[in-house]
Amino acid sequence: LLWQDKALPISNVTYNSQSKRISFLYTGVEGNAVIAAKDASGNIIWSWHIWCTDAPVEQIYNNEAGTMMDRNLGATSATPGDAGALGLLYQWGRKDPFRGSSSINSNTLIKTTITWPSRVYSDTNNGTIEYTISNPTTYIQYNANNCDWFYTQNDATNNTRWGNIKTIYDPCPVGWKVPTGGTAGIFGKADVVNAPHTSDGTNHGIHFPEGSISNQSVWYPKAGYFYEGSLSYTGSSGYYWTSTPCSNSNKAHNMYISGSSINISSKDYYRADAQSVRCMKDENYVDVTMPIIALDTLSSITSTGATITATIDKLDGIIEKGFLLGTSEHPTVDNNYAKVVNTQDTLTFTSDLEFEAGDIYYVRAFATNENGTSYSEELSFLASDADNPMDLSAYGTANSYIINK
């Protein structure tokens, strides 16, 4: 666990070397966290943003421009006047978030569980993608050559970090991407500049009424931006990144709102600025996700049997699910292990297993959809003598929420 906000939305982050999945417990509160994988030397090799919020509403923009979320990336609300609607901030082309404000009208950074490192200046050592991966919480100030955090020793820069085709550095969730920009992007096609809108001085944002740019009302808070190591303009201006580089400079297009004014083409910004992101639905996304499954409980172990329970993340598209049992490690559906197929039409399902007393058994749950088969973590146990049942206190429960990005 690299950091989380004061709401503490997750706990118990673990890595399972068998399933090669990272899991954690969701505490039931909304908020943001970042988890990371490290090598044997303690260096971060990748990190993931965990965004705990109610499901964002899809808002279809006019003129077939595209579909947007109803809230900023990292926001826990879409309600005008709620500081939770401000969300987090991103340097252009980076996947990891920086803190936004905890207030709708002041530059007060949200509280988190870490002390954030001081900014560094872009140069040959830290103006690289490799540096951003291993230092996801470090803000990189622009260099004088190209006004970007990405260092090139001249006025050239790299335009492939974000793009119309989603990249691995795109911070939006699976199935979403940083929106396209400029007059040909989603804001231009929806004509946000000329569409009816009002500046809400009380709640500090821009409100598009129903029918203006979408069939729903749309709210954009003035969340400010992070510039040269500090948060600025919260409550007075909003800065929304797009994935589109400027063709005539090393800047990138954004949507800029100030007062009641909206600009999408001539108010472009340094890519080192950390700005808000409002995610756009990725029409090129094809779901190749395999099921996510976790063992919950192993109970009632006797000399001849036991009861086991597992949970999958969703039932949609599941072809087969159940449990695999054997006397060797890592049972799979392909290696002739005993398979107990479960036909219950529920996310959580239970089956009874049968075995011989005195043997060591390995068991894990499986679920198959059209993309393949996924397996839970593996448990091993000694089939107990009927007169001396096993102590189950070591098993407990594991309601795992597993990242698969």
Side-chain angles (χ1 to χ4, degrees), residues 199-211:
S199 177
D200 186 334
T202 301
N203 295 314
H204 300 280
I206 290 284
H207 175 252
F208 295 92
E210 182 179 336

Side-chain angles (χ1 to χ4, degrees), residues 165-188:
I165 303 300
K166 185 181 175 81
T167 73
I168 62 172
Y169 309 113
D170 188 306
C172 291
V174 172
W176 299 83
K177 64 180 183 179
V178 178
T180 52
T183 55
I186 189 169
F187 298 125

Side-chain angles (χ1 to χ4, degrees), residues 3 86-92 94 96-102 106-112 114-121 135-142 147-149 162 222-241 254 256 269-277:
W3 68 265
L86 300 181
L88 301 173
L89 304 174
Y90 294 81
Q91 290 189 283
W92 196 93
R94 293 186 67 173
D96 293 291
F98 292 91
R99 292 175 294 169
S101 180
S102 61
S106 68
N107 301 311
T108 307
L109 291 168
I110 62 171
K111 302 295 184 182
T112 65
I114 65 165
T115 299
W116 288 67
S118 300
R119 61 178 170 172
V120 299
Y121 291 82
N135 298 273
T137 59
T138 300
Y139 176 87
I140 305 173
Q141 186 159 319
Y142 64 87
C147 300
D148 196 347
W149 63 262
W162 289 352
K222 297 174 179 176
Y225 76 140
F226 203 78
Y227 172 71
E228 295 190 353
S230 63
L231 184 63
S232 303
Y233 298 109
T234 305
S236 63
S237 299
Y239 307 78
Y240 287 83
W241 273 134
N254 71 353
Y256 169 70
Y269 280 82
Y270 291 168
R271 301 185 194 187
D273 299 342
Q275 303 184 13
S276 301
V277 169

Side-chain angles (χ1 to χ4, degrees), residues 372-394:
T373 299
S374 292
Y375 301 94
S376 72
E377 67 273 25
E378 179 180 277
L379 289 180
S380 62
F381 59 92
L382 176 66
S384 69
D385 182 86
D387 298 325
N388 297 287
M390 289 182 64
D391 178 9
L392 302 181
S393 62

Side-chain angles (χ1 to χ4, degrees), residues 144-161:
N145 294 324
N146 61 8
C147 300
D148 196 347
W149 63 262
F150 187 89
Y151 191 79
T152 60
Q153 298 183 332
N154 52 46
D155 62 357
T157 191
N158 177 294
N159 289 330
T160 64
R161 289 163 281 169

Side-chain angles (χ1 to χ4, degrees), residues 21 287-292 312-321 366-375 404:
R21 293 185 185 274
D287 186 1
V288 294
T289 304
M290 294 193 299
I292 299 173
I312 53 178
D313 62 333
K314 60 181 180 179
L315 286 174
D316 296 345
I318 297 298
I319 299 170
E320 186 178 58
K321 58 183 169 64
F366 75 93
T368 302
N369 67 8
E370 64 178 5
N371 299 314
T373 299
S374 292
Y375 301 94
N404 183 21

